[in-house]
């Protein structure tokens, strides 16, 4: 009988452990068991983190150190220390969540420090992975400037132009859509792409015709009118094309 009770107890404990292992890593579970910890001061310190205006990890590290000291001094036991630290992590992740929602509509540069903390504690809060995805998308949007500039340095192609517009528009920035910086990035890119098209689409069609049908001069005779056009020559491909001696035969 005693052996049966012992085995039953082991099974129940194992079941509870498995439940909490599966549940605890990804949600903001409430630290209900903290009420059983007699050290009210350290409990209050842990609770304070979730309502703090996050600035850096100094408060988190100070409280985590304090928890370790209180175990060393015998004010809490090992299991209480583990519970306090796990709750501290959850509360800290919640403070990161709140901070992101506070700044997401008005930050003017990538919040690197906050982002790195969100990465570290993303398993402690169900929303942090979503917000990390938004910030990753913001980085992609920010880096699209290089892609756009590379496009402007090449030969215009309407299919590439449309594809690039679609690529920019489809970056999944989520709730950052209301951030003015994101709006400025998109507006700037669209303006550059549209300006490029307006400046060079016609001359590109003439160049295409000249290169494809060099013997049919009447089809591209207007090409020479563009050789001194500043709005065209400001783009590197077209400046190089008109300066290439081999292309003088088309002008």
């Amino acid at each position: 009988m005693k052996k049966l009770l012992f085995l039953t107890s082991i099974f129940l404990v194992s079941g509870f452990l498995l439940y909490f292992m599966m549940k605890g890593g990804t949600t903001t579970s409430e630290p209900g068991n903290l009420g059983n910890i007699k050290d009210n001061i350290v409990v209050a310190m842990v609770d304070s983190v979730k309502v703090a205006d996050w600035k850096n990890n100094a408060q988190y590290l100070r409280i985590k150190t304090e928890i370790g000291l209180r175990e060393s001094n015998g004010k809490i036991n090992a299991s209480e220390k583990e519970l306090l630290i796990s709750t501290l992590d959850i509360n800290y992740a919640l403070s990161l969540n709140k901070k992101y929602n506070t700044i997401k509509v008005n930050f003017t540069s990538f919040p690197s420090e906050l982002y790195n903390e969100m990465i570290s504690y993303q398993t402690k809060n169900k929303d942090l992975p979503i917000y990390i995805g938004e910030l990753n998308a913001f980085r992609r949007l920010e880096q699209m400037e290089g892609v756009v500039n590379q496009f402007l340095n090449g030969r215009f192609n309407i299919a590439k132009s449309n594809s690039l517009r679609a690529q920019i528009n489809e970056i999944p920035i989520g709730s950052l859509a209301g951030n003015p910086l994101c709006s400025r990035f998109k507006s700037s890119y669209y303006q550059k792409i549209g300006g490029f098209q307006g400046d060079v689409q016609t001359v590109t069609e003439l160049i295409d015709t000249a290169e494809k049908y060099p013997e049919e001069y009447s089809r591209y005779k207007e090409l020479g009118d563009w050789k001194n056009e500043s709005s065209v020559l400001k783009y590197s491909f077209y400046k190089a094309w008109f300066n290439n001696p081999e292309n003088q035969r088309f002008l």
Side-chain angles (χ1 to χ4, degrees), residues 94-106:
L94 181 60
S95 74
L96 299 174
N97 181 322
K98 290 181 177 180
K99 189 65 175 183
Y100 175 78
N101 279 297
T102 299
I103 71 166
K104 67 182 180 183
V105 295
N106 55 21

Side-chain angles (χ1 to χ4, degrees), residues 84-140:
L84 284 164
I85 289 178
S86 65
T87 304
L88 176 64
D89 287 349
I90 291 171
N91 288 349
Y92 185 64
L94 181 60
S95 74
L96 299 174
N97 181 322
K98 290 181 177 180
K99 189 65 175 183
Y100 175 78
N101 279 297
T102 299
I103 71 166
K104 67 182 180 183
V105 295
N106 55 21
F107 69 77
T108 56
S109 61
F110 189 82
S112 298
E113 188 177 0
L114 176 61
Y115 173 80
N116 291 336
E117 291 298 287
M118 290 166 66
I119 290 286
S120 297
Y121 292 88
Q122 61 181 307
T123 61
K124 305 297 180 180
N125 182 284
K126 62 183 177 60
D127 292 325
L128 287 185
I130 298 172
Y131 300 153
I132 290 168
E134 291 180 353
L135 287 173
N136 286 335
F138 173 85
R139 273 184 165 169
R140 284 176 53 197

Side-chain angles (χ1 to χ4, degrees), residues 29-35 37 39-52 59-68 70 76 80-95 98:
S29 40
E30 289 295 327
N33 287 339
L34 289 186
I37 298 177
D39 190 337
N40 294 328
I41 294 177
V42 75
V43 169
M45 293 174 70
V46 170
D47 283 341
S48 70
V49 174
K50 63 184 176 184
V51 296
Q59 181 189 28
Y60 169 86
L61 293 175
R62 184 172 63 251
I63 295 173
K64 189 171 184 179
T65 299
E66 184 64 26
I67 292 171
R70 287 176 180 266
I76 58 174
E80 289 174 331
K81 173 188 175 183
E82 183 178 349
L83 176 59
L84 284 164
I85 289 178
S86 65
T87 304
L88 176 64
D89 287 349
I90 291 171
N91 288 349
Y92 185 64
L94 181 60
S95 74
K98 290 181 177 180

Side-chain angles (χ1 to χ4, degrees), residues 146-156 196 199-200 203-204 207 227 229-244 247:
V147 179
V148 171
N149 289 338
Q150 184 177 15
F151 175 65
L152 301 183
N153 287 329
R155 185 174 189 148
F156 177 77
F196 185 45
D199 289 336
V200 305
V203 70
T204 303
I207 290 173
K227 63 182 179 181
E229 180 59 50
S230 60
S231 63
V232 171
L233 297 181
K234 68 182 180 181
Y235 300 105
S236 59
F237 170 82
Y238 296 90
K239 182 177 181 178
W241 193 92
F242 279 106
N243 288 336
N244 187 341
N247 296 328

Side-chain angles (χ1 to χ4, degrees), residues 18-32:
L18 179 61
Y19 171 77
F20 284 114
M21 286 174 63
M22 294 177 66
K23 183 182 178 185
T26 57
T27 60
T28 54
S29 40
E30 289 295 327

